[in-house]
Amino acid sequence: MAYLSLYKKSDFRQLTWPEYGKLLDSVVKQIKAYTKRKKVKIDAVVPIMRGGLFPGGYITFKLDMLRILPVQYKYFFEGRNVVLRKIFGFQKAEVAKPNPVFLLVENNHCFGVTAATAAKDLKKAFPRCRIIYATDTMDYSYRNAVEDADASFHGVYTNDTKTMTEQQCKTSRVKNWTNVFPWESFEEEWQTVNAKQYKYSDLNAKFPHSKTMKKIKLW
């Protein structure tokens, strides 16, 4: 996680809603083409909250679907560690089929750890399920992080993990800036990349009931 020290405020770029809409329309087009070609019917959209709420809701409407079954995972800073916690998981009782097809939706796939964790949890609940993974932006260096996904779609590649050089980004046509999405607070994002815990208004109420999924040393 040493990449956190590489961020500068000038690296951030605020996305407008029209720009973001174009990213999502591209993802929707890819999903529709895939499901038509493979003759696959999606049983439920599973957005990863909080960020996945926005692309997940949009894609659900564009696919003329009804069922949306959210999950929520979140990173928290604890001393020298960043800890991925599950705030609430998938409601297995909501799905009757033994081999459902899930559309797992993430916002800003960086290292892909959260999405990979969510996918593994879906596989634990439904070992025979099929997972289609979709995200608005995806770090190029970690594009294959969600191993349990049968297919993966994204709007644009990024260099959020600072793994690639500027020249590599140009060669691979990768966006070499960090997006601040239309609904996001720059202050929250800036504190995150500086390994500081943002003070959510309901943090103390929810944190004790969350489950530790992964712990990563920052330094």
Side-chain angles (χ1 to χ4, degrees), residues 62-98:
K62 289 296 182 179
L63 295 181
D64 294 321
M65 290 188 62
L66 175 63
R67 304 200 71 194
I68 184 164
L69 303 173
V71 295
Q72 186 169 7
Y73 301 79
K74 180 66 179 173
Y75 281 113
F76 296 94
F77 294 101
E78 300 177 17
R80 294 185 176 184
N81 299 308
V82 59
V83 180
L84 179 64
R85 289 178 170 270
K86 182 195 294 185
I87 297 177
F88 63 84
F90 188 77
Q91 302 300 307
K92 186 176 179 180
E94 297 296 324
V95 179
K97 290 176 64 175

Side-chain angles (χ1 to χ4, degrees), residues 4 12 77 185-200:
L4 290 175
F12 289 81
F77 294 101
S185 157
F186 173 76
E187 184 58 32
E188 180 180 345
E189 299 310 305
W190 184 243
Q191 287 192 27
T192 297
V193 299
N194 281 281
K196 294 180 180 179
Q197 182 58 57
Y198 188 72
K199 302 298 183 182
Y200 301 103

Side-chain angles (χ1 to χ4, degrees), residues 28-178:
V28 169
K29 184 177 180 180
Q30 294 171 61
I31 294 170
K32 285 184 174 180
Y34 174 82
T35 54
K36 182 178 180 180
R37 184 173 70 255
K38 296 290 186 178
K39 298 180 180 179
V40 173
K41 181 181 179 182
I42 298 169
D43 294 294
V45 176
V46 183
I48 303 173
M49 311 289 256
R50 299 175 7 239
L53 163 70
F54 295 89
Y58 185 89
I59 291 171
T60 302
F61 275 90
K62 289 296 182 179
L63 295 181
D64 294 321
M65 290 188 62
L66 175 63
R67 304 200 71 194
I68 184 164
L69 303 173
V71 295
Q72 186 169 7
Y73 301 79
K74 180 66 179 173
Y75 281 113
F76 296 94
F77 294 101
E78 300 177 17
R80 294 185 176 184
N81 299 308
V82 59
V83 180
L84 179 64
R85 289 178 170 270
K86 182 195 294 185
I87 297 177
F88 63 84
F90 188 77
Q91 302 300 307
K92 186 176 179 180
E94 297 296 324
V95 179
K97 290 176 64 175
N99 57 341
V101 177
F102 296 121
L103 177 61
L104 181 66
V105 183
E106 174 67 302
N107 158 237
N108 192 28
H109 171 114
C110 195
F111 288 99
V113 176
T114 303
T117 301
K120 288 186 183 302
D121 280 349
L122 286 176
K123 283 289 187 180
K124 286 179 183 177
F126 295 91
R128 294 166 55 194
C129 76
R130 187 170 185 174
I131 299 173
I132 300 170
Y133 178 54
T135 181
D136 39 29
T137 61
M138 175 179 282
D139 187 277
Y140 185 82
S141 300
Y142 291 87
R143 59 192 183 279
N144 298 316
V146 186
E147 297 177 352
D148 288 302
D150 295 272
S152 178
F153 304 105
H154 65 279
V156 66
Y157 279 129
T158 69
N159 185 34
D160 276 350
T161 63
K162 303 295 185 182
T163 306
M164 304 172 72
T165 65
E166 186 173 345
Q167 184 56 50
Q168 288 173 326
C169 288
K170 288 180 180 178
T171 301
S172 301
R173 296 182 180 179
V174 170
K175 303 298 183 184
N176 196 23
W177 61 74
T178 298

